[in-house]
Structure formats: structure tokens, C-alpha cells
Amino acid sequence: MDHLHEFFVPEAPPSVFYIPEFITKEEETHILDKVYSVPKPKWTHLSNRRLQDYGGVPHKNGMICEKIPAWLELYMKRITDLKVYGDKEANHVLINEYLPNQGIMPHTDGPLFYPTIATISCGSHTILEFSCTDKRDTVCNLLLEPRSLIILQDDMYTKHLHSISEVTEDEITDKCANLSKCKNYKLGQIAEREVRISLTIRNVPKVCKLKLWNL
């Protein structure tokens, strides 16, 4: 990951890389158009958000691969080319929609994925909060700007829980470990949340040879 050294966040536990403006405004608009143009059944509705899943359902016995739309493959390749999965390629994308006052409980992504999270944010900022496994002590926060890419590895993947609070606005504080790398926010600012679309692009190491589009 030496090629990403300028995006390394030393104020956070190992390891965080934050790239502001990873995509352009035009690409952000294109992503949002594609996300909202899918048939309604493509959305899975949860109690606090809705999501779309591409690539297949990760399973301990192996993921049966599903064909991924060409527009998503473009961004998957861009992440793969950063070598964040070593010599492996991105093969799974989870798209989440967060409305203001929606979030996600503290969790880790687990052993079914290569231990790296790469997430593109569109439409709105959010604050990703990290805590110890007892959920009591805050480790740090990360401010995710629209069009940014966050990459999490090592302890930030395996050891610490991550979550998003259910609020309508965020105060930008010195708990945001990556604030010095952010382009559009400053200390003490109150930022109102809008609708955020996140693209979490990952590698599922264990896959089945069977592919659904070959059936």
C-alpha cells in the first residue's frame, strides 16, 4: 500500500486510507441515476435503511457469482487497480441508502470477505464511528465526504466495530481523525445530512465455480 502513502491517516489506528474527490461530480450523478433506476424488487428493505446487493450472496461454502452491471464494474476495477486486495479482484458490491436520521449499529464485516473495506460515498457526508468490541470506548471517527473513498484494513477491519449514528446533523469535531485530509468541512461546523448512497466494494475469496448467468 506504499503507493497510497499520501492518503494514509496516521491519526487513526491501523489502517485507514482516505481519498477525497475519488470520483467526479459527473460520476456521482451517474452512480445515483443508476442506483435509482433499478426495478423496485432489487431493493432489500431493512428496518433502518434499504440496500442493493451485487455479485452474489457471500456464504461460508462459497459465493455463487452473479453477473454485475457494467457501470459498477468500472468502479470495481478502479478499486482493484489500487491493489487493496493484493492480487485479488473486487467481486462484490453492497449499495446502501441512508436517509437523514438513518444509520447502522456497531458491527464488523466478518471473515467471509478479504479483510479490506473500500467504500465510495455519494450524495451526502456521514461520520463513521469506531469503538472497541465492548461498544463502550470510542476509538475514533472518520468524516466521509461525498465523492470520497475510504479504505479500512488491519485493526480497523478486524478489531474495531464501526457504526453510523441515527442523527440528522453532525458536528465536525477533533474526533474526526481524517479531518486534515477533508476538502469541504472544517472544525466546529454543523453539517446537515442529506440522502447518502454508499458503494462498499469488496472481495469474497471463496466462490463457487457455478455462475448464475451460465445456467
Side-chain angles (χ1 to χ4, degrees):
M1 299 291 286
D2 289 346
H3 57 294
L4 293 177
H5 67 91
E6 67 180 292
F7 304 110
F8 180 67
V9 181
E11 296 85 358
S15 293
V16 178
F17 299 86
Y18 180 75
I19 306 178
E21 302 297 337
F22 180 72
I23 60 172
T24 65
K25 289 185 177 181
E26 291 76 18
E27 288 174 321
E28 179 184 42
T29 298
H30 179 69
I31 288 172
L32 294 173
D33 287 345
K34 290 294 186 180
V35 167
Y36 286 111
S37 66
V38 300
K40 289 184 179 180
K42 183 61 182 175
W43 289 99
T44 298
H45 293 261
L46 305 180
S47 60
N48 59 346
R49 69 189 189 283
R50 59 177 182 163
L51 57 85
Q52 299 174 22
D53 194 289
Y54 292 93
V57 178
H59 192 276
K60 64 180 181 180
N61 293 328
M63 180 176 74
I64 298 177
C65 295
E66 299 176 3
K67 190 169 179 61
I68 295 174
W71 72 268
L72 260 182
E73 288 183 335
L74 170 68
Y75 300 101
M76 295 170 70
K77 183 180 185 305
R78 195 178 296 183
I79 301 298
T80 294
D81 288 346
L82 294 177
K83 302 298 181 183
V84 298
Y85 315 112
D87 60 354
K88 301 179 183 298
E89 298 181 355
N91 61 1
H92 185 269
V93 183
L94 185 65
I95 296 177
N96 279 291
E97 179 196 57
Y98 294 95
L99 305 180
N101 208 34
Q102 289 185 335
I104 189 169
M105 296 293 290
H107 67 285
T108 62
D109 280 20
L112 295 182
F113 301 99
Y114 185 96
T116 292
I117 302 172
T119 299
I120 300 171
S121 294
C122 299
S124 178
H125 82 283
T126 199
I127 290 185
L128 196 58
E129 304 171 17
F130 291 83
S131 59
C132 296
T133 51
D134 59 10
K135 303 181 184 179
R136 296 177 182 176
D137 296 326
T138 299
V139 174
C140 73
N141 294 339
L142 296 173
L143 172 58
L144 308 186
E145 300 171 285
R147 299 178 297 281
S148 68
L149 173 70
I150 191 75
I151 301 167
L152 306 174
Q153 297 180 322
D154 305 315
D155 282 358
M156 292 296 268
Y157 182 92
T158 59
K159 184 177 179 181
H160 301 307
L161 306 175
H162 57 276
S163 61
I164 297 173
S165 293
E166 295 180 339
V167 298
T168 58
E169 63 182 25
D170 298 288
E171 180 180 0
I172 310 303
T173 72
D174 57 8
K175 289 184 180 180
C176 295
N178 65 321
L179 184 57
S180 64
K181 297 186 179 295
C182 294
K183 299 294 187 181
N184 302 305
Y185 295 81
K186 60 183 180 180
L187 189 65
Q189 180 178 345
I190 303 297
E192 292 188 5
R193 290 192 189 175
E194 300 179 28
V195 179
R196 174 175 174 261
I197 291 292
S198 66
L199 279 65
T200 299
I201 299 172
R202 294 177 287 203
N203 169 267
V204 178
K206 191 171 183 179
V207 299
C208 298
K209 293 183 179 180
L210 176 69
K211 297 179 180 180
L212 288 186
W213 67 89
N214 287 338
L215 294 178

